[in-house]
Structure formats: C-alpha cells, structure tokens
C-alpha cells in the first residue's frame, strides 16, 4: 500500500470524528433549546387558551366560527402590512422602499418570511431574480471582502515596517477590525433599532445577528411595523447595513473557519507524530499566503 493510500485511509476516522462532533453539537443545541423554550411554550399555549375563552365569554355574539374569521382577517392584514388599529391603514408592505429591502433579503438569502409575493407573475419573477441575484450577491460580497482584507494587509504591512513584529501587528489589526465592525454593525444598529422599533437591547442584538448571518427567522423584522411611521432614510440605512454587515460577518466566519481548520491540523499532527507546519516550513495553502500571492490584493483598494 502506497503512502497516498495510507493518508486517504487515515482521513476517514478524522471525517467520522468531525461528523460525530457536528451531530453532537446540533443535538446538544436541540436539548438546550428544548429545556429553555419548551416549558415557556407550554405556558404560552395555556395563556392563549385562557385568553380565547375570556374573549368568547366577554363577547357573547362571537362564537368559534366568528373568532376564526376574525383571526383570518388579522393574519391576512399582518401579511399585507396593514394596520387594523383605529380607522386607518398604512400603504402596506409593497412600497418602493420596502420592496427594495425585500429584494435585498432575497439575493442575500435572509428571507424573513413576513413578506412574500402572492401573484403568479411575482412568484415566477422572484425565482429568476433569485437565480441570478444570489450568485451576483456572492461575487460582490467576495470582492468587498477582498478589499477589506487588502486594506487590513496594507495597514499590517505599514505597522510591521514601523514595529518589526509581524504576529503582534497582524493580531492587533485583526482585533481592531473586529471591534470596529462589531460597533458599526451591532452596537450602533442595536441603538437605532431600540429607538425606532421599541425593542429591548437583547432583542435588537439578536435581530442583528439573525439578519447578518442570513438565518432570518422573521420573528423580529425592522421597518415592517404597520403602526409606525418610519423616516425615508430608514430603509436606505437598512439596505446598506445588511450589505456591508454581511460582508464583514462573512469575513469573521471565514477567519473562524480558518482557526478551526488550523486546530484540526494541529491535533492531527499531534496524533500522527508529524512536525507542525510552521516548523517544517510548509505553509502553502494558508489564507495569509494565498492572500499575499493574489495579485489583486497587492493593489491599493481605492484604485479602480
């Protein structure tokens, strides 16, 4: 058996181990969510049933069928973005600004679910719009991420020339970049959402991460409350925040993936008794070397 075959066989246990860790992580998360939310869910259901009984008792003319019709009207109004408070309604979800934000959530695959096309033409257009828009969005985000990396590299090279310390300089630049991004894309939006949406800080920070990670549960959606009047700049700010925040968070996730890969390589080398890559000098394929070899990143980010 050759060396390559032996390495291929050696990779199988590591893949199984990685799969086991992944499944275990997901199951542990499921157990924690079950314990944290399960009892509260049962409590909410009992409160809802109690409130339903109270409504039917208070309004004698309303039976079960009438209550279901009222619930259907409220559900339809909520999907259309209409307010049922008072004697007025808003323009609904499909204004130009909110439609543009919806288009952004389509190509970024956030998909809150609070708004969706209901016409046949709109649904067909959404399919083709997403088919070409999602790859375009990935290309643009990738390019923006490269420019951010190039900017960090230029700053690192400048500071390294002044201090002569490569590792400390790169760590410091990455740390400042992460902290700046956290302030711009989490702390500042958290304050804005708390003021304009009336959310708590924990709800706002939760919404920021769920949005920028493209999970998009849809339980909290900014610029969608029909009982509020939002300023014109709010939707533009939302779209800009989503775009640049996605690029920044994708960069952070890529760095986290790189750290996990390095840890995996380190433990594999420890178990197999091989020398670490830094000692043997084989650093080919690492993100830093790939970035340095990329000719585009050698150019200043501003020159076009």
């Amino acid at each position: 058996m050759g060396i390559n075959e032996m390495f291929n066989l050696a990779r199988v246990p590591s893949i199984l181990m990685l799969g086991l860790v992944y499944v275990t992580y997901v199951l542990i998360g499921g157990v924690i969510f079950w314990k944290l939310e399960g009892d509260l869910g049962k409590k909410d259901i009992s409160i809802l049933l109690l409130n339903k009984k109270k409504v039917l008792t208070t309004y004698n003319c309303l039976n079960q069928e009438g209550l279901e019709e009222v619930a259907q009207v409220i559900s339809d109004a909520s999907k259309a973005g209409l307010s049922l408070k008072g004697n007025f309604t808003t323009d609904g979800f499909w204004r130009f600004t909110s439609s543009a934000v919806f288009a952004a959530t389509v190509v970024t695959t956030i998909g809150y679910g609070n708004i969706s096309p209901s016409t046949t033409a709109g649904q067909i257009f959404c399919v083709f719009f997403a088919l070409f828009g999602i790859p375009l969005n990935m290309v643009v985000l990738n390019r923006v991420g490269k420019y951010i990396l190039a900017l960090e590299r230029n700053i690192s090279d400048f500071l390294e020339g002044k201090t002569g310390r490569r590792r400390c300089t790169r760590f410091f630049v990455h740390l400042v970049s992460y902290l700046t991004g956290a302030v711009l894309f989490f702390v500042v939006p958290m304050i804005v959402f708390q003021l304009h949406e009336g959310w708590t800080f924990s709800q706002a920070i939760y919404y920021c991460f769920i949005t920028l990670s493209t999970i998009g549960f849809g339980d909290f959606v900014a610029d969608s409350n029909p009982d509020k009047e939002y300023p014109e700049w709010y939707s533009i700010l939302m779209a800009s925040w989503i775009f640049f925040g996605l690029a920044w968070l994708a960069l952070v996730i890529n760095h986290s993936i790189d750290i996990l890969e390095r840890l995996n390589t380190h433990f594999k080398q420890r178990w197999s008794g091989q020398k670490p890559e830094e000692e043997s000098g084989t650093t080919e394929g690492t993100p830093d070397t790939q970035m340095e070899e990329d000719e585009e990143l050698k150019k200043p980010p501003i020159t076009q």
Side-chain angles (χ1 to χ4, degrees):
M1 184 181 292
I3 298 178
N4 291 334
E5 288 79 2
M6 292 178 61
F7 273 118
N8 288 333
L9 288 176
R11 286 178 183 175
V12 175
S14 65
I15 293 174
L16 293 177
M17 180 64 69
L18 189 61
L20 181 62
V21 170
Y22 177 78
V23 173
T24 305
Y25 184 79
V26 172
L27 292 178
I28 290 175
V31 170
I32 294 175
F33 283 124
W34 177 38
K35 293 298 181 183
L36 291 176
E37 302 291 334
D39 294 338
L40 184 61
K42 293 178 182 178
K43 196 174 185 180
D44 291 341
I45 291 173
S46 61
I47 293 175
L48 286 173
L49 292 175
L50 187 62
N51 289 337
K52 173 188 171 183
K53 185 177 179 181
K54 184 178 178 182
V55 168
L56 292 175
T57 305
T58 305
Y59 303 97
N60 298 326
C61 59
L62 190 65
N63 55 13
Q64 178 66 31
E65 184 179 352
L67 183 62
E68 291 176 0
E69 291 180 2
V70 171
Q72 186 63 45
V73 170
I74 295 174
S75 176
D76 293 340
S78 176
K79 289 180 181 179
L82 300 177
S83 174
L84 296 181
K85 291 185 177 180
N87 295 322
F88 69 94
T89 58
T90 61
D91 295 332
F93 279 136
W94 295 109
R95 305 183 306 274
F96 171 72
T97 52
S98 57
S99 300
V101 173
F102 168 75
T105 61
V106 171
V107 298
T108 54
T109 69
I110 295 175
Y112 291 119
N114 66 314
I115 173 176
S116 58
S118 56
T119 64
T120 303
Q123 292 169 351
I124 294 175
F125 173 75
C126 185
V127 171
F128 288 99
F129 180 74
L131 186 63
F132 294 100
I134 292 173
L136 176 63
N137 176 74
M138 293 177 65
V139 170
V140 173
L141 287 181
N142 182 46
R143 181 54 59 93
V144 172
K146 280 188 175 183
Y147 273 94
I148 295 175
L149 281 175
L151 185 61
E152 288 185 7
R153 178 176 175 270
N154 291 338
I155 296 174
S156 297
D157 291 341
F158 174 77
L159 294 178
E160 182 186 347
K162 297 291 184 181
T163 60
R165 298 182 178 181
R166 179 183 176 86
R167 289 184 176 274
C168 293
T169 301
R170 288 189 177 274
F171 174 78
F172 174 75
V173 171
H174 284 312
L175 180 62
V176 171
S177 173
Y178 292 157
L179 292 177
T180 304
V183 170
L184 287 177
F185 301 116
F186 281 90
V187 177
V188 174
M190 177 183 66
I191 297 173
V192 173
F193 293 142
Q194 196 273 335
L195 292 175
H196 286 83
E197 302 291 341
W199 298 337
T200 64
F201 286 121
S202 60
Q203 290 171 340
I205 200 73
Y206 163 79
Y207 167 74
C208 289
F209 182 80
I210 293 301
T211 296
L212 297 185
S213 60
T214 71
I215 297 173
F217 288 130
D219 47 353
F220 292 94
V221 182
D223 194 23
S224 65
N225 190 343
D227 299 319
K228 290 181 178 291
E229 290 191 11
Y230 299 98
E232 292 294 332
W233 53 264
Y234 195 64
S235 297
I236 301 174
L237 183 66
M238 278 278 302
S240 303
W241 168 70
I242 289 175
F243 177 77
F244 291 103
L246 280 174
W248 174 79
L249 191 60
L251 208 60
V252 174
I253 292 175
N254 284 335
H255 277 296
S256 302
I257 292 173
D258 177 48
I259 292 172
L260 291 176
E261 291 287 350
R262 287 172 182 268
L263 287 175
N264 182 40
T265 304
H266 174 74
F267 286 121
K268 282 172 64 177
Q269 290 170 348
R270 290 291 183 185
W271 292 337
S272 60
Q274 297 176 3
K275 291 183 179 180
E277 287 185 359
E278 291 182 357
E279 296 178 8
S280 60
T282 58
T283 57
E284 183 181 358
T286 61
D288 286 337
T289 55
Q290 289 176 358
M291 183 177 63
E292 291 174 359
E293 290 172 1
D294 192 348
E295 290 297 329
E296 283 190 46
L297 297 185
K298 293 181 180 179
K299 300 178 184 178
I302 324 174
T303 57
Q304 278 279 351

